[in-house]
Amino acid sequence: MQFGIFTVGDLTADPLTGRPQTERERIKGTVAIALKAEEIGLDVFATGEHHNPPFVPSSPTTLLGYIAAQTERIILSTSTTLITTNDPVKIAEDFATLQQLADGRVDLMLGRGNTGPVYPWFGQDIRQGIPLAIENYALLHQLWRETNVNWQGRFRTPLQGFTAVPRPLDGVPPFVWHGSIRSPEIAEQAAYYGDGFFANHIFWPKEHFQKLIELYRTRYAHYGHGTPEQAVVGLGGQIFMRPRSQDAIREFRPYFDNSPVYRGGPSLEETMEQTPISVGSPQEIIEKTLSFRETFGDYQRQLFLMDSGGLPVKTVLEQLDILGEEVLPVLRKEFAARRADNVPAGPVHPAAAAAH
Amino acid sequence: MPKLVVISAGLSQPSSTRLLADQLAAETDRLLPSEIHTVELRDVAGDITNNLLTGYPSPKLRAEIEAVTAADALIAVTPVFSASYSGLFKSFFDVLDVGVLTDKPVLMGATGGSARHSLALEYALRPLFAYLRARVVPTAVFAASEDWGAGGGNGGLASRITRAAGELAELLGSRPERSAPVEELIPFEQQLAALRAPQR
């Protein structure tokens, strides 16, 4: 089981001061958070991709390359990479470069995660979201596995005898997760290729995702990649901890109420009941996270959102310390104890290269 | 027994909107015995707003949405506010999944202070349900304050209720049993092949 953090990179004003961080503070702060993630023993750091304010991460491989140079062990990933509006050729090249530089510590999560206005900025149309995700990934998949590619599709200019360089490290492309909130087509796509399926999970009740994950597991087996239990599943979560539950709630509430996602909706307490957000003592965080396994079965990767809603970097770093000291060791032990024998570990490059 | 779901957007207690909804339901049930479930939108008003903001319903609202989804027919009644259905009434239909009302028989009703509001049914509610692809019965029932008085009993409101309920019962009775919709999976090869097909 792999544990990590994923960020959306929102520049939300701190409700206590009313002042947002500058872009530079946010970007450098994100690097500090990623370095801390490695220091406390997390397995994964993942960054989102957005092209509109109030978000800063529009260039994930630049950010991850900078982090790769300062880390040794942590896997660098995305949450998400926009397979709809990015050129699959450029994704193939950017991530192969990053993979070479980071000695294989790279994977990525693909998503459609765009709002309507973003598509036209990149010459696309949101109504074509699913076909774009399908065609662009089919090309990306091919570019990482074949040289001298001849290709023609609906959305991109044709390729004649094209080889994406650099080639993937050791001939093994970065592992790919497909992220989805509602679309069975994407679960089916992940199953077809035998790739991972990531259910963002945060902001929505589990019922949304139980059906998708079950579909993915069933179809993963249908396509002959293994049993349904062996399918590669990732889940999101969102946590805030203090030694005493009531302190955690009191401190986090202004940030919850200020969040662009939660603002004006149900209370923190109601949202905790219905979604994976977990605010309380380390023990409560442990119990809620373990409950995800009861809901979805054994899974391979758990990512937490910990830096959203205007929380100061200093607070996020403190949170990571608590995670590393009090939560992570217990979660590792408990998940390992519960895991069925035939369930594979989370994807890492050395294992994939050895199997290649 | 057909499942009949009654949606009332009345706000006061007692509410003339709820009263009209109940009378429409009782008359339909008399003509065609039904399993009746009533959704009082007031009781889930906050949940509807939260659903608009978060994209998912609370457990309580989810139960009501599931009842509407599973219904064989609907009776939907709203007060007329500012020349149209109430915002709460519209918001409830806004949080339903796409296609939930497709082909579903619907009897619509409205209440207001004066009969001069009665056409709101025809220029506001009927287009809404047409957009949602529901099968709306021809007679829509409007009840003004005056309808609840002495004139309402004979010939007035009561006969409109009977006519409308009769249309709904007839439409409902003539329909084959609904089976639960099957979610179709499009196999991946087919999704990919669709992209490779020549475009016009």
Side-chain angles (χ1 to χ4, degrees):
Chain A
M1 178 77 162
Q2 297 169 333
F3 294 93
I5 51 175
F6 64 152
T7 177
V8 282
D10 57 316
L11 263 181
T12 309
D14 183 334
L16 304 187
T17 64
R19 197 170 39 87
Q21 296 169 39
T22 64
E23 289 174 334
R24 184 166 181 272
E25 281 169 343
R26 185 70 170 102
I27 293 167
K28 297 273 190 175
T30 306
V31 173
I33 290 166
L35 299 186
K36 186 66 154 184
E38 166 150 301
E39 182 194 319
I40 66 157
L42 286 172
D43 305 294
V44 184
F45 170 82
T47 176
E49 176 186 341
H50 289 282
H51 298 276
N52 44 338
F55 303 100
V56 288
S58 56
S59 182
T61 52
T62 310
L63 178 67
L64 294 177
Y66 186 78
I67 295 168
Q70 301 174 67
T71 52
E72 289 179 353
R73 200 187 41 75
I74 198 162
I75 295 170
L76 305 164
S77 189
T78 58
S79 60
T80 63
T81 292
L82 303 176
I83 189 62
T84 45
T85 48
N86 282 313
D87 180 2
V89 170
K90 199 72 174 78
I91 296 177
E93 296 171 341
D94 284 349
F95 280 86
T97 304
L98 179 63
Q99 195 196 27
Q100 297 276 356
L101 285 169
D103 303 316
R105 290 184 288 129
V106 171
D107 57 33
L108 67 163
M109 185 202 302
L110 300 179
R112 293 187 290 129
N114 263 333
T115 50
V118 177
Y119 281 77
W121 295 335
F122 295 91
Q124 302 296 355
D125 179 343
I126 193 169
R127 291 168 298 179
Q128 297 299 320
I130 296 264
L132 279 164
I134 289 167
E135 177 174 298
N136 284 348
Y137 182 60
L139 175 55
L140 174 61
H141 192 268
Q142 192 178 352
L143 291 173
W144 270 340
R145 287 161 179 83
E146 295 170 28
T147 52
N148 301 310
V149 170
N150 293 327
W151 179 89
Q152 187 164 3
R154 185 182 294 185
F155 299 110
R156 192 195 187 283
T157 198
L159 297 170
Q160 300 294 338
F162 177 77
T163 300
V165 286
R167 302 304 300 154
L169 180 67
D170 307 319
V172 177
F175 186 83
V176 169
W177 302 82
H178 300 261
S180 173
I181 294 162
R182 278 183 190 274
S183 312
E185 293 93 338
I186 299 301
E188 168 73 1
Q189 181 187 34
Y192 175 81
Y193 290 103
D195 293 339
F197 182 71
F198 189 88
N200 177 337
H201 192 215
I202 61 172
F203 310 143
W204 294 279
K206 57 180 180 290
E207 290 78 9
H208 273 281
F209 300 103
Q210 279 177 312
K211 279 200 320 210
L212 281 179
I213 290 177
E214 196 188 307
L215 171 68
Y216 162 67
R217 288 187 185 281
T218 308
R219 299 296 288 174
Y220 182 91
H222 168 84
Y223 287 116
H225 302 297
T227 66
E229 295 74 28
Q230 290 170 333
V232 188
V233 173
L235 293 175
Q238 185 175 7
I239 57 177
F240 188 85
M241 303 153 281
R242 287 299 175 199
R244 297 191 322 159
S245 187
Q246 57 269 46
D247 295 337
I249 301 252
R250 194 180 54 236
E251 188 179 340
F252 189 69
R253 192 186 304 280
Y255 294 95
F256 175 87
D257 290 343
N258 185 46
S259 146
V261 176
Y262 299 116
R263 196 182 64 234
S267 67
L268 173 57
E269 286 79 0
E270 286 172 84
T271 307
M272 280 204 283
E273 250 174 59
Q274 290 189 64
T275 77
I277 189 170
S278 187
V279 180
S281 67
Q283 187 54 37
E284 286 170 308
I285 306 299
I286 289 165
E287 281 163 24
K288 183 143 180 179
T289 307
L290 284 170
S291 78
F292 298 166
R293 183 188 165 277
E294 308 302 315
T295 305
F296 300 105
D298 279 318
Y299 60 107
Q300 280 73 16
R301 180 173 288 186
Q302 173 67 54
L303 299 182
F304 293 114
L305 176 64
M306 298 182 71
D307 67 341
S308 185
L311 276 170
V313 175
K314 180 172 167 291
T315 309
V316 178
L317 298 178
E318 273 171 34
Q319 286 291 308
L320 284 166
D321 276 329
I322 305 174
L323 178 67
E325 281 158 28
E326 298 180 45
V327 175
L328 199 55
V330 185
L331 284 181
R332 285 203 191 282
K333 186 164 143 276
E334 295 296 325
F335 271 101
R338 286 163 166 77
R339 196 176 96 186
D341 289 338
N342 62 344
V343 171
V348 291
H349 181 81
H356 180 59
Chain B
M1 198 178 277
K3 288 197 276 284
L4 180 62
V5 169
V6 182
I7 299 166
S8 169
L11 297 176
S12 51
Q13 183 69 269
S15 136
S16 59
T17 299
R18 175 64 192 262
L19 187 59
L20 176 60
D22 285 347
Q23 293 194 358
L24 288 166
E27 184 62 12
T28 307
D29 183 49
R30 190 181 66 79
L31 298 167
L32 183 74
S34 304
E35 188 185 315
I36 296 171
H37 171 76
T38 302
V39 183
E40 273 277 10
L41 295 188
R42 191 204 157 104
D43 294 341
V44 285
D47 303 67
I48 290 171
T49 304
N50 284 342
N51 189 349
L52 290 169
L53 296 176
T54 62
Y56 64 87
S58 67
K60 192 173 165 187
L61 178 58
R62 187 165 67 230
E64 301 294 35
I65 289 172
E66 280 167 7
V68 168
T69 305
D72 295 299
L74 297 182
I75 292 173
V77 189
T78 176
V80 173
F81 287 172
S82 306
S84 182
Y85 37 69
S86 78
L88 178 61
F89 183 82
K90 175 64 159 57
S91 292
F92 179 69
F93 290 98
D94 288 348
V95 300
L96 297 179
D97 280 340
V98 174
V100 159
L101 261 62
T102 300
D103 212 28
K104 214 182 273 297
V106 173
L107 164 52
M108 48 185 206
T111 58
S114 143
R116 285 186 291 277
H117 293 303
S118 62
L119 279 175
L121 278 162
E122 302 304 329
Y123 63 68
L125 271 80
R126 204 176 287 277
L128 169 67
F129 288 115
Y131 172 78
L132 296 171
R133 296 185 188 282
R135 277 175 198 265
V136 187
V137 300
T139 302
V141 181
F142 186 87
S145 301
E146 67 214 44
D147 285 306
W148 303 109
N154 354 315
L157 179 61
S159 72
R160 298 203 298 279
I161 288 172
T162 302
R163 186 165 72 232
E167 289 166 4
L168 183 65
E170 191 185 341
L171 182 55
L172 193 49
S174 68
R175 292 166 65 80
E177 193 110 342
R178 281 161 51 87
S179 54
V182 183
E183 266 185 59
E184 284 200 10
L185 173 84
I186 304 170
F188 190 79
E189 290 88 344
Q190 209 174 313
Q191 295 184 40
L192 206 53
L195 283 166
R196 289 179 180 156
Q199 293 297 291
R200 280 195 299 130

